[in-house]
């Protein structure tokens, strides 16, 4: 395998741009994890994506496992999605009025997801989760919610308590600026720990509007739900009269045609979506049973609105992306994901590396700790220095994985088996070199 050239100057233009960006944008970025706080160094400034690859301003090419943090499940600039977007562009950028495309996208979603009868399109995952919580509060007339430590549901005030994603790189899971009164209504349970939820619900009878969960933890690395965790949540919510919200912004239409609900056979009361349903354009959605969603304005009294909601370009991209995701696509993603998992697991066992790979479908993480990661506390045991060395080695080799041990990497249908094997070969060489360093240098 021919690796790209190494050298001090390979990120020169990115470095200069990053310096300038820091004067104009907080941390030089528009979303914290992009600043490489978790791994140090300079983020490559990306100019172009094509299939499974992205290219930076210095002309480096990377096999991309970030996929814009999940939306690009069919790869970059897929011709079918591109054509749909170009067609939509010809007709106008935004109307602030109903369009046929919104109805078509909603029906593609409803058709695939159990218990999803109606949806409301919004502009981001954050908008989706904050709106879903408002619906739960409006219906139940209760104020409190339960979330899980290390779960990330976007940046609305009520979720930035024991949050995941970029907050973990900064070592500060509670954002400043969140009013104490808002934080007091967010109760925090332990992921994969049903008893912690039961205890909170029992301690706050008739106070909890909703339990919101990432059905597969994706913002403290990839953390699958244990055994009956999700079905236990379903039962507890029924028992205590709280709504169960699956935040499927990351897992929706990715880990199965019908998302986590299909994969784990548990149906929540409300769903939130984003990422894949916009095919790379800004979008979000929340939805659930009609008897719940018909409480949203203009039918019901729970208000939520947006100028760009249902934007025709985002809708066209999302619709085209979903149309490409047939059973064969999910089988393919599963096969590639399984191959990555098997190869890593074998290599880890053979070489006794203190690592673990965790995967669900086409999302995966390699944790730099030998023990299973079942919640955020386990993930924070990861050797972040070793991860950073591994990450930068792979970047130099032309492989772009998530720049934080607390984020997932993603496979798309544009990745080929050959590309995946090239990545595995490079990853194992880099791991070999990381673990041959003295323990002190990677402590
Ligand atoms: N919240 C996203 C990762 N879990 C990061 C989004 C971004 O930086 O683009």
């Amino acid at each position: 395998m021919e690796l790209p050239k190494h050298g001090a100057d390979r990120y020169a233009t990115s470095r200069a741009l990053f310096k300038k960006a820091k004067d104009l944008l907080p941390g030089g970025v528009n979303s914290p994890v992009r600043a490489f706080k978790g791994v140090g160094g300079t983020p490559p400034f990306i100019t172009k994506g094509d299939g499974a690859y992205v290219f930076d301003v210095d002309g480096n090419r990377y096999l991309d496992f970030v996929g814009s943090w999940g939306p690009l499940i069919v790869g970059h600039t897929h011709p079918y999605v591109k054509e749909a977007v170009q067609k939509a562009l010809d007709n106008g950028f935004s109307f602030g009025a109903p369009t046929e495309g919104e109805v078509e996208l909603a029906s593609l979603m409803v058709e695939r997801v159990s218990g999803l009868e109606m949806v409301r399109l919004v502009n981001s995952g954050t908008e989706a989760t904050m709106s879903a919580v408002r619906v739960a509060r409006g219906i139940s007339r209760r104020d409190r919610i339960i979330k899980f430590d290390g779960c990330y549901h976007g940046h609305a005030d009520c979720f930035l308590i024991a949050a995941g994603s970029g907050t973990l790189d900064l070592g500060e899971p509670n954002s400043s600026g969140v009013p104490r009164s808002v934080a007091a209504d967010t109760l925090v349970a332990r992921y994969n720990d049903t008893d912690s939820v039961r205890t909170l619900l029992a301690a706050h009878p008739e106070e909890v509007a909703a339990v919101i969960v990432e059905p597969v933890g994706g913002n403290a690395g990839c953390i699958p739900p244990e055994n009956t965790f999700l079905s236990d949540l379903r039962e507890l919510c029924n028992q205590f009269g709280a709504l169960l919200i699956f935040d499927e912004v990351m897992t929706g239409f990715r880990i199965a045609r019908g998302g986590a609900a299909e994969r784990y056979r548990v149906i929540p009361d409300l769903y939130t979506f984003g990422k894949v349903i916009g095919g790379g354009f800004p979008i979000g959605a929340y939805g659930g049973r009609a008897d719940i969603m018909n409480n949203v304005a203009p039918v019901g009294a729970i208000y939520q609105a947006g100028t760009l909601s249902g934007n025709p370009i985002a809708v066209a991209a999302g619709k085209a992306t979903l149309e490409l995701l047939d059973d064969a696509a999910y089988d393919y993603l599963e096969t590639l994901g399984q191959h990555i998992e098997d190869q890593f697991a074998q290599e880890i066992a053979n070489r006794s590396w203190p690592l673990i790979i965790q995967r669900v479908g086409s999302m995966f993480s390699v944790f730099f700790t030998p023990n299973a990661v079942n919640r955020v506390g386990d993930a924070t045991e990861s050797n972040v220095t070793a991860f950073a060395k591994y990450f930068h080695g792979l970047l130099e080799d032309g492989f772009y994985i998530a720049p934080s041990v607390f984020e997932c990497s993603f496979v798309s249908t544009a990745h080929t088996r050959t590309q995946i094997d090239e990545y595995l070969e490079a990853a194992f060489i880099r791991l070999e070199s990381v673990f041959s360093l003295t323990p002190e240098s990677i402590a």
Side-chain angles (χ1 to χ4, degrees):
M1 178 175 93
E2 206 190 314
L3 297 178
K5 284 190 208 83
H6 294 188
D9 280 328
R10 60 180 283 121
Y11 308 117
T13 318
S14 284
R15 206 174 299 111
L17 273 174
F18 196 35
K19 190 167 178 287
K20 186 169 177 196
K22 282 179 180 164
D23 291 334
L24 298 165
L25 308 164
V29 292
N30 285 304
S31 187
V33 286
R34 301 178 194 178
F36 276 26
K37 285 272 179 197
V39 289
T42 301
F45 278 56
I46 305 298
T47 50
K48 179 180 146 144
D50 183 12
Y53 291 106
V54 284
F55 301 81
D56 72 12
V57 281
D58 288 289
N60 299 303
R61 187 188 76 171
Y62 307 93
L63 187 63
D64 182 20
F65 290 91
V66 176
S68 190
W69 302 94
L72 298 178
I73 192 166
V74 295
H76 293 268
T77 53
H78 189 291
Y80 184 72
V81 180
K82 201 168 153 184
E83 194 190 325
V85 167
Q86 276 166 343
K87 242 176 161 169
L89 278 172
D90 284 344
N91 290 331
F93 304 162
S94 180
F95 310 116
T99 63
E100 190 175 0
E102 295 167 299
V103 182
E104 290 169 348
L105 177 59
S107 82
L108 284 178
M109 294 169 67
V110 163
E111 191 178 286
R112 284 163 168 75
V113 179
S114 300
L116 183 68
E117 294 173 354
M118 298 182 89
V119 298
R120 166 62 59 86
L121 299 181
V122 291
N123 298 291
S124 68
T126 294
E127 256 192 75
T129 51
M130 65 185 230
S131 306
V133 163
R134 183 176 303 144
V135 170
R137 285 175 164 154
I139 288 176
S140 63
R141 302 195 180 272
R142 300 173 178 184
D143 288 345
R144 293 194 197 269
I145 59 166
I146 294 180
K147 76 174 285 289
F148 293 88
D149 56 352
C151 277
Y152 180 76
H153 305 288
H155 58 85
D157 285 349
C158 63
F159 300 124
L160 288 179
I161 324 287
S165 192
T167 69
L168 292 171
D169 286 331
L170 303 174
E172 191 38 84
N174 303 309
S175 172
S176 110
V178 173
R180 272 190 292 271
S181 57
V182 174
D185 280 334
T186 298
L187 308 173
V188 180
R190 276 159 52 93
Y191 197 79
N192 273 327
D193 181 346
T194 310
D195 286 343
S196 71
V197 184
R198 187 179 293 108
T199 304
L200 286 174
L201 286 167
H204 299 277
E206 303 195 10
E207 288 179 18
V208 176
V211 174
I212 183 165
V213 67
E214 289 182 80
V216 175
N219 285 285
C222 181
I223 307 185
E226 283 183 314
N227 310 317
T228 59
F229 177 56
L230 297 175
S231 55
D232 289 347
L233 291 185
R234 178 65 281 173
E235 273 177 34
L236 282 171
C237 284
N238 291 348
Q239 190 186 334
F240 287 89
L243 296 189
L244 179 60
I245 305 175
F246 273 8
D247 178 353
E248 294 227 41
V249 168
M250 202 178 276
T251 52
F253 308 98
R254 172 166 283 280
I255 63 167
R257 195 169 179 272
E262 175 186 316
R263 196 153 178 139
Y264 297 102
R265 297 171 191 280
V266 176
I267 300 177
D269 301 292
L270 279 167
Y271 288 95
T272 58
F273 300 102
K275 300 196 190 272
V276 167
I277 60 161
F281 287 80
I283 203 167
Y286 63 98
R289 294 195 313 273
D291 65 297
I292 293 177
M293 290 303 289
N294 273 325
N295 289 285
V296 174
V299 189
I302 299 166
Y303 198 76
Q304 182 273 310
T307 299
L308 293 173
S309 295
N311 174 266
I313 315 302
V315 163
K319 192 166 119 0
T321 300
L322 289 189
E323 283 165 354
L324 289 168
L325 293 171
D326 55 12
D327 290 342
Y330 288 106
D331 288 348
Y332 182 70
L333 290 169
E334 189 65 37
T335 306
L336 288 186
Q338 186 70 57
H339 180 59
I340 293 173
E341 181 181 347
D342 291 346
Q343 296 300 303
F344 260 99
Q346 198 180 65
E347 211 71 13
I348 290 168
N350 288 348
R351 311 215 194 185
S352 305
W353 284 331
L355 298 178
I356 187 160
I357 176 153
Q358 297 193 173
R359 173 196 74 94
V360 177
S362 53
M363 53 193 273
F364 69 98
S365 298
V366 177
F367 292 98
F368 278 60
T369 167
N371 306 313
V373 173
N374 294 319
R375 56 188 59 90
V376 65
D378 303 331
T380 53
E381 298 291 302
S382 281
N383 183 331
V384 287
T385 314
F387 174 78
K389 286 189 196 303
Y390 165 71
F391 170 83
H392 280 293
L394 275 182
L395 198 66
E396 274 196 25
D397 296 342
F399 300 93
Y400 187 63
I401 62 168
S404 164
V405 77
F406 303 115
E407 300 285 352
C408 288
S409 289
F410 301 98
V411 177
S412 77
T413 55
H415 287 84
T416 64
R417 172 69 180 248
T418 307
Q419 290 167 336
I420 296 291
D421 284 334
E422 286 171 0
Y423 154 67
L424 291 168
E425 189 186 337
F428 299 150
I429 292 171
R430 286 295 173 181
L431 286 170
E432 178 71 50
S433 105
V434 167
F435 290 116
S436 65
L437 296 171
T438 57
E440 299 75 48
S441 65
I442 54 169

